[in-house]
Amino acid sequence: MIAVPLPFVVALVLGIYAWHLGARWRHDLRVRRPALFALACSALLVCVGLRWHFDTAFFRFLQPVAASVLPVMAWICFARFNAPLVTGRQLALHSIFVAIVFLCSWTWPYWHPPLDVLLCGQFTVYGILLVRRAVAGDACYGDICIGNIGTARRIVAAVGGILILSASVDAGIAFDFAWQNGLHVREIVASGNAVMLAFCVFLIVRLGTYVAPVAGAGEVAGDEGTGRAGGRDVVAGPIKDNTAKSDASDRDIAAALDQLMQTHKLYRDPDLTLDRLARRAIIPARTISLAINRYYGRNISCIINEYRIAEAMQSLADTAKTVTDIQFDCGFQTKSNFNREFRRVTGMSPRDYRSRNDYPQHSITTPFDAVPETQGSV
């Protein structure tokens, strides 16, 4: 029976996944980031397998160079979701360290530069940067469905953590060479890097389900009564022009979004993103994110879900619709998310709320209505 080293098996799976995504490269912008990162992981695993299976000078040179590319790809793919995939300036900036590793690996037979230290440092720095990005403002997740921003944050944090863990594995390899003459290095490489990179791909696959479809030029999510594409941007609330927007208080922005939510039911769109919401309100996404956080003390994902829960509460009280139908009507895609958010807002499950509701008619109380009018803007 032919024995195939584990890195090659995982690389094959990653390559198939990248090829599958690449088939939609020109038609679906969502696939580009996960496809590139899966391809980078696959290429690195191939280099790792070749390095430890054949142990030639060329593969000893190639492996650290390929490894230095992976953190750069992770940053490009996961640092932002609403920016261009890569710009010339970013490429030049992030290529500096790759070039340093290339030169050190090329000249290693002559002066033995500390490649392990360089790679451990690079993986650690990029991992920390990604973890910090995971807790950054919602504006970094403009192309992610608003209801799933929290999940995307956790995935980005996990990718950063994997890079840090990978740095620890590289450090273990270096220490094994220093203290045990590389006695356990093959086991460390096979079990450590392969498992962690495979876990990276699992995260990529999960992330793909939280990236919203890309709207066309002038397309906005949400239309009155349906929450779907409506076609034109609408100025809502007291914010009338750019000058007024620049001086508007957080309460003004919250009121403008509240008018959009109540008039056009944008929250019903399960694919609603912060970028689409910003285009509809004609307010920059970062401004919306900061204003909502300051005014409500919660992020935009929580607020959108609270609008959905408010309508769900009304439907549970006033209609005989099933809980599942109400869940989808209000913009929730999964039962678990609906139940979790409903319990967060009301303290009970949807079925318990319906059974305990004593009022024949129920009026919606939106998050904006629940905030006292005397609350000043920050």
Side-chain angles (χ1 to χ4, degrees):
M1 182 176 181
I2 299 176
V4 180
L6 180 60
F8 293 122
V9 174
V10 180
L12 178 62
V13 174
L14 298 182
I16 293 174
Y17 177 67
W19 176 81
H20 175 71
L21 294 178
R24 295 183 287 147
W25 181 276
R26 296 182 60 183
H27 308 290
D28 191 348
L29 298 180
R30 296 175 298 169
V31 307
R32 296 188 176 185
R33 286 176 167 84
L36 283 175
F37 191 62
L39 188 61
C41 291
S42 178
L44 176 56
L45 279 170
V46 170
C47 291
V48 169
L50 292 173
R51 159 68 175 87
W52 297 108
H53 190 70
F54 296 105
D55 196 25
T56 64
F58 175 75
F59 293 131
R60 286 197 297 269
F61 152 75
L62 186 62
Q63 183 196 348
V65 177
S68 68
V69 174
L70 186 64
V72 174
M73 295 302 300
W75 177 259
I76 290 174
C77 294
F78 295 103
R80 294 187 70 90
F81 299 97
N82 58 347
L85 186 60
V86 63
T87 64
R89 180 180 179 183
Q90 289 175 327
L91 190 61
L93 178 64
H94 293 291
S95 296
I96 292 176
F97 199 91
V98 177
I100 293 174
V101 172
F102 178 89
L103 291 174
C104 290
S105 183
W106 183 268
T107 59
W108 191 87
Y110 306 103
W111 63 293
H112 299 295
L115 276 173
D116 293 331
V117 175
L118 288 174
L119 290 174
C120 286
Q122 184 195 24
F123 272 68
T124 301
V125 169
Y126 276 89
I128 292 173
L129 290 175
L130 280 172
V131 171
R132 291 184 59 187
R133 179 65 68 179
V135 298
D138 292 337
C140 296
Y141 301 87
D143 282 351
I144 300 294
C145 298
I146 288 179
N148 296 315
I149 288 178
T151 303
R153 287 180 184 276
R154 290 189 290 272
I155 292 174
V156 174
V159 172
I162 289 171
L163 291 181
I164 296 174
L165 185 58
S166 183
S168 301
V169 171
D170 289 340
I173 293 173
F175 286 131
D176 186 69
F177 270 115
W179 294 343
Q180 300 291 329
N181 294 321
L183 181 63
H184 306 290
V185 71
R186 291 182 180 273
E187 291 78 4
I188 295 174
V189 171
S191 61
N193 286 333
V195 171
M196 286 187 296
L197 291 177
F199 187 52
C200 275
V201 175
F202 167 76
L203 293 174
I204 296 170
V205 176
R206 289 295 307 275
L207 181 65
T209 64
Y210 299 107
V211 179
V214 179
E219 179 187 353
V220 290
D223 193 14
E224 186 171 359
T226 64
R228 294 298 179 182
R232 60 186 180 87
D233 291 338
V234 177
V235 180
I239 300 178
K240 300 299 183 181
D241 53 41
N242 291 334
T243 303
K245 281 186 290 186
S246 64
D247 298 328
S249 67
D250 295 339
R251 191 177 193 282
D252 293 333
I253 294 174
L257 294 182
D258 182 70
Q259 182 177 338
L260 273 177
M261 293 300 157
Q262 296 200 53
T263 303
H264 297 276
K265 309 296 183 183
L266 299 185
Y267 55 83
R268 291 180 177 176
D269 180 8
D271 293 329
L272 180 65
T273 67
L274 184 56
D275 282 352
R276 291 182 177 184
L277 183 60
R279 289 197 299 270
R280 197 65 187 265
I282 318 183
I283 304 173
R286 178 176 174 80
T287 301
I288 292 177
S289 175
L290 293 175
I292 293 300
N293 276 297
R294 288 192 297 255
Y295 185 72
Y296 290 108
R298 302 183 295 283
N299 60 35
I300 188 68
S301 176
C302 289
I303 298 304
I304 294 301
N305 281 336
E306 286 171 21
Y307 277 99
R308 292 168 174 165
I309 295 301
E311 179 171 328
M313 292 166 63
Q314 183 186 44
S315 296
L316 287 168
D318 300 344
T319 72
K321 290 182 178 180
T322 66
V323 174
T324 301
D325 288 340
I326 292 173
Q327 163 200 319
F328 288 114
D329 289 345
C330 296
F332 286 100
Q333 294 178 297
T334 63
K335 181 179 179 181
S336 60
N337 192 26
F338 175 58
N339 289 337
R340 181 176 61 252
E341 289 299 302
F342 197 97
R343 189 174 293 277
R344 176 179 69 84
V345 174
T346 67
M348 64 184 75
S349 70
R351 297 186 186 279
D352 288 342
Y353 179 84
R354 169 171 273 174
S355 64
R356 297 180 187 182
N357 182 68
D358 297 327
Y359 301 97
Q361 295 295 323
H362 186 281
S363 60
I364 293 182
T365 300
T366 68
F368 185 75
D369 296 331
V371 178
E373 292 188 9
T374 55
Q375 175 174 317
S377 60
V378 179

